[in-house]
Amino acid sequence: DTAVSQTPKYLVTQMGNDKSIKCEQNLGHDTMYWYKQDSKKFLKIMFSYNNKELIINETVPNRFSPKSPDKAHLNLHINSLELGDSAVYFCASSPGTGVSNEQFFGPGTRLTVL
Amino acid sequence: AQSVTQPDIHITVSEGASLELRCNYSYGATPYLFWYVQSPGQGLQLLLKYFSGDTLVQGIKGFEAEFKRSQSSFNLRKPSVHWSDAAEYFCAVGAAGYSSASKIIFGSGTRLSIRP
């Protein structure tokens, strides 16, 4: 049973397109996250939701819009894709918002913008 | 501001040899510290964490780490590496945020290669 799953695993698209990445967790966690890992492996948080409410919104272009239809799902929609958006995007979940909570990561979505 | 430094970008050790991966952090209060491992093409998996108490913490897969406040370090160690340990290793510090929002700040990672 996959704990945190993401679809698609790979996404290749043209500049200017709009795309979505989906994330689902079956761990019963309240908190979910999106991270971006760049080509140098640097991992940075983008957003966090707790019980469908946005609680962390880092300095991310507003072309990126997360949506949480329920606490088991956190999707990421990206408008007007740019070359610099190419990266691996990881979804994660944790039981709660406290920093002591272990985060469980999905396998990642490799986005390539041509 | 909180930060994590992993000074070694890439380390190669022989199978069976001991390993130490370095991590230094910058944080004003008592830090929450983590080590994660990322195997090729996979997500991150938690190896171990330190919040308080005994400064030597044991993790999964035979790894341990030692918190040294005076050196602001949290180095990861393993007495004898296996070929399956080849991966990217990330040190991270947990930063308590405003209201209920807390986040983890990751270092830039150390890639570990194993020589047969």
Side-chain angles (χ1 to χ4, degrees), chain B residues 2-115:
Chain B
Q2 304 90 356
S3 66
V4 179
T5 301
Q6 293 180 248
D8 304 306
I9 296 173
H10 184 202
I11 283 183
T12 300
V13 299
S14 297
E15 190 167 15
S18 64
L19 169 71
E20 182 167 30
L21 301 182
R22 296 184 291 165
C23 172
N24 292 96
Y25 67 89
S26 171
Y27 189 61
T30 300
Y32 293 84
L33 295 162
F34 308 84
W35 274 100
Y36 280 84
V37 60
Q38 183 182 21
S39 298
Q42 303 295 317
L44 280 73
Q45 181 185 23
L46 181 68
L47 282 176
L48 48 78
K49 58 189 178 185
Y50 170 79
F51 297 151
S52 63
D54 194 346
T55 56
L56 184 64
V57 293
Q58 302 297 321
I60 62 172
K61 305 186 182 189
F63 285 92
E64 66 178 25
E66 186 171 13
F67 170 62
K68 292 185 178 179
R69 184 186 298 276
S70 60
Q71 298 176 19
S72 297
S73 69
F74 189 56
N75 294 348
L76 182 71
R77 300 195 294 247
K78 186 170 185 179
S80 175
V81 297
H82 185 261
W83 64 266
S84 60
D85 293 324
E88 191 88 23
Y89 290 81
F90 292 93
C91 181
V93 62
Y98 54 90
S99 68
S100 61
S102 300
K103 58 185 180 182
I104 293 178
I105 296 165
F106 287 86
S108 52
T110 297
R111 182 158 63 96
L112 174 64
S113 298
I114 306 297
R115 194 183 298 119

Side-chain angles (χ1 to χ4, degrees), chain A residues 9 33 35 37 40-43 45 55-58 90 97-103 105-107, chain B residues 32 34 36 38 41-44 46 49 51 88 90 94-95 98 100-104 106-108:
Chain A
K9 192 168 173 63
Y33 312 80
Y35 286 87
Q37 186 176 47
K40 293 191 165 112
K41 299 281 188 175
F42 184 61
L43 195 68
I45 190 167
I55 58 169
I56 292 177
N57 185 352
E58 292 293 283
F90 287 99
T97 59
V99 73
S100 61
N101 285 280
E102 177 180 349
Q103 294 187 20
F105 283 77
Chain B
Y32 293 84
F34 308 84
Y36 280 84
Q38 183 182 21
Q42 303 295 317
L44 280 73
L46 181 68
K49 58 189 178 185
F51 297 151
E88 191 88 23
F90 292 93
Y98 54 90
S100 61
S102 300
K103 58 185 180 182
I104 293 178
F106 287 86
S108 52

